[in-house]
Amino acid sequence: MKDGDPCVTCPVREKGFCGLLLGKPFQQSPVIHNSNWQEHQGFGADARIVNSKDVSDFVYVLCDGWAFRFGRMPDNRRQIFRFLLPGDLFTAINVFEEKLHSSFQALTNVRVSRFKRPEVMKRIAIKPEILATARIACVVESKHADELSINLGVRAADERIAYLLLHLTSRIADRSVIREHRYHFPLRHQHIADAVGLTTVHVSRVISIFRKRKIIELRDGLLEVLDPPELARIGAIELSNH
Amino acid sequence: MKDGDPCVTCPVREKGFCGLLLGKPFQQSPVIHNSNWQEHQGFGADARIVNSKDVSDFVYVLCDGWAFRFGRMPDNRRQIFRFLLPGDLFTAINVFEEKLHSSFQALTNVRVSRFKRPEVMKRIAIKPEILATARIACVVESKHADELSINLGVRAADERIAYLLLHLTSRIADRSVIREHRYHFPLRHQHIADAVGLTTVHVSRVISIFRKRKIIELRDGLLEVLDPPELARIGAIELSNH
DNA sequence: CGGCAGTTTGATGTTACTCAATTTAAGTGG
DNA sequence: CCACTTAAATTGAGTAACATCAAACTGCCG
């Protein structure tokens, strides 16, 4: 990837934060890299993108590839909070706050775009939909944080993993036109384990049970959901009112 | 508590959301209940205050007593996300969103104040510090959500409980002038269990270990931290950079 | 072919859950 | 003031879920 290449992925999603910020979808007007307020960077798989203690006056968006947000304890235990897909803000909070209190790492090769926050603020003043989008992202993230806490706090291993798969496939499906039950799925068992609070060994066992029960097939970075209703029955988080 | 009584607790904290909204601390000018944009309500211990599916055009603040925010699964499992202390917004998101996606319940007898959101928005337009305060509350809550996920996802029972105690005592200490190691602590073991993802039986065992090791004393709604450094050693969440 | 990273499988250990009984404390009515 | 009730906390015994340790297997790459 060279400077000057158009940013293919993010502006395509016109209604996303990035698309609104840039004003036009890619098809109509290719956006040039590294303007005076927008910078693009590429990272290889597993590269650290942002550290939890970094303070930077940029708003980060993932353009291409997968990444994840996580926290790590001094003894090396890691909790993955959220996986990022193309078009995602690193976190919605990042629009308002210069301190990102968590770390970010590339899962696959990624392209990242970052915008200077003062400039973002100027555009928000001109176009309030950008602010509304950021607020919606805040709400979505806070809702997801609650679901994660429920998943980790009260649920068994198979439910946790099923929930993760449901959550991710639904987010992938949201951004693709075709609706299949086969997904590009670059997570290693280690990522799943760190996202649901289990060991890789146990993740492997649960997945092989799912496989035997013909609920999913997961190999070579490809996830196939064979029995969507059953996966939903195990994993869906439906809050009760009582 | 009758209508017309002044709201004692919340305006005392001038720099909190509620204090800023009302403009003056209690000492200078008692605030009257149930104006045309502010309503006060009392609830008994264990009363449900808001249900997860409610939509209401109010911004809620806890004036007096303890409450908590939680989610419940259809099979009755419950996860407590956060305990609310006097002066707390129910959630920061609530300032912008009319849909509260979680439920709220009184822990002790409480007084709750709610403000009509359109009026809150008007005041925000006049006084931007209110908005800044709400944004800070958003950041604090999202940070706490991450810590909760770490606590539930990667930590052992004693660490989880120690963290909860540290977190709560620090928040209680923040809002009191004197700094002791004895705290009013109205949680039942059931609340602790639902907050840290354990059973009451196991909570009881861990606490009795803490008691034997002279780290804490917890009886009759009173928590005494006998060995703060040891409690912090067990429970503190210190994120690493690697 | 050897080496490596990731996954799978088996055997064993530990943590926390379940079930059940007992204790404690706080009412409540006579 | 004392039986009786009730909710909460504690304790013990047995069990299930998940972790740990270690070995074998797979696919990939040089």
Side-chain angles (χ1 to χ4, degrees), chain A:
Chain A
M1 200 189 63
K2 306 183 305 295
D3 280 5
D5 287 352
C7 179
V8 178
T9 314
C10 45
V12 169
R13 307 184 56 230
E14 296 102 307
K15 289 192 287 188
F17 182 84
C18 193
L20 276 174
L21 204 58
L22 295 169
K24 5 188 146 76
F26 167 64
Q27 288 82 348
Q28 291 154 33
S29 158
V31 177
I32 301 306
H33 279 256
N34 299 337
S35 64
N36 62 337
W37 69 294
Q38 181 189 186
E39 295 173 10
H40 279 77
Q41 295 173 279
F43 292 89
D46 298 330
R48 184 66 60 91
I49 307 171
V50 182
N51 280 312
S52 60
K53 281 158 195 165
D54 290 358
V55 178
S56 91
D57 211 18
F58 289 94
V59 177
Y60 290 84
V61 174
L62 184 65
C63 289
D64 199 36
W66 289 50
F68 57 91
R69 187 169 80 80
F70 70 102
R72 196 188 283 281
M73 308 267 305
D75 61 3
N76 223 33
R77 289 177 288 185
R78 175 173 79 170
Q79 177 64 47
I80 292 179
F81 301 125
R82 188 174 174 86
F83 292 96
L84 304 178
L85 302 181
D88 282 341
L89 275 164
F90 272 28
T91 86
I93 294 284
N94 179 223
V95 177
F96 311 108
E97 261 284 305
E98 56 197 12
K99 192 161 184 316
L100 297 137
H101 57 261
S102 39
S103 301
F104 294 82
Q105 189 168 320
L107 184 63
T108 63
N109 291 339
V110 297
R111 261 181 321 141
V112 167
S113 179
R114 56 182 210 177
F115 303 90
K116 289 183 180 157
R117 189 176 295 101
E119 192 66 35
V120 171
M121 288 309 175
K122 269 189 214 164
R123 304 224 165 191
I124 281 177
I126 298 165
K127 200 197 263 189
E129 303 104 282
I130 303 173
L131 182 62
T133 306
R135 277 187 187 162
I136 290 169
C138 269
V139 173
V140 169
E141 283 180 22
S142 107
K143 197 166 172 176
H144 174 247
D146 289 346
E147 289 189 354
L148 179 59
S149 296
I150 288 183
N151 209 33
L152 297 173
V154 306
R155 310 186 86 213
D158 57 340
E159 300 175 298
R160 295 190 208 182
I161 292 175
Y163 167 75
L164 178 67
L165 300 181
L166 285 171
H167 174 80
L168 283 176
T169 53
S170 119
R171 282 172 63 204
I172 297 169
D174 279 351
R175 63 196 69 205
S176 99
V177 186
I178 51 158
R179 208 165 254 277
E180 268 192 301
H181 292 299
R182 306 172 79 238
Y183 307 89
H184 168 60
F185 199 81
L187 277 63
R188 318 262 99 228
H189 285 189
Q190 186 65 63
H191 298 117
I192 299 176
D194 289 346
V196 299
L198 298 168
T199 57
T200 56
V201 174
H202 205 66
V203 167
S204 168
R205 290 192 217 274
V206 171
I207 286 180
S208 78
I209 290 170
F210 283 173
R211 209 191 319 266
K212 270 177 207 139
R213 292 178 52 195
K214 306 221 183 302
I215 300 171
I216 63 164
E217 188 53 62
L218 178 52
R219 283 202 335 269
D220 308 325
L222 190 78
L223 167 67
E224 193 164 354
V225 180
L226 305 172
D227 189 346
E230 182 62 7
L231 189 65
R233 198 190 58 74
I234 299 170
I237 289 183
E238 192 64 49
L239 291 186
S240 137
N241 242 350
H242 295 287

Side-chain angles (χ1 to χ4, degrees), chain B residues 83-132:
Chain B
F83 292 97
L84 304 178
L85 303 181
D88 282 342
L89 275 165
F90 273 27
T91 86
I93 295 284
N94 180 222
V95 176
F96 311 108
E97 260 285 304
E98 56 196 13
K99 191 158 186 316
L100 296 135
H101 57 260
S102 39
S103 301
F104 293 83
Q105 188 168 320
L107 184 63
T108 64
N109 292 338
V110 298
R111 262 182 320 142
V112 167
S113 180
R114 57 183 209 176
F115 303 90
K116 290 184 180 157
R117 189 177 293 101
E119 191 66 34
V120 171
M121 289 309 176
K122 271 189 212 162
R123 305 224 164 191
I124 282 177
I126 299 166
K127 200 198 263 189
E129 304 104 282
I130 303 173
L131 182 62

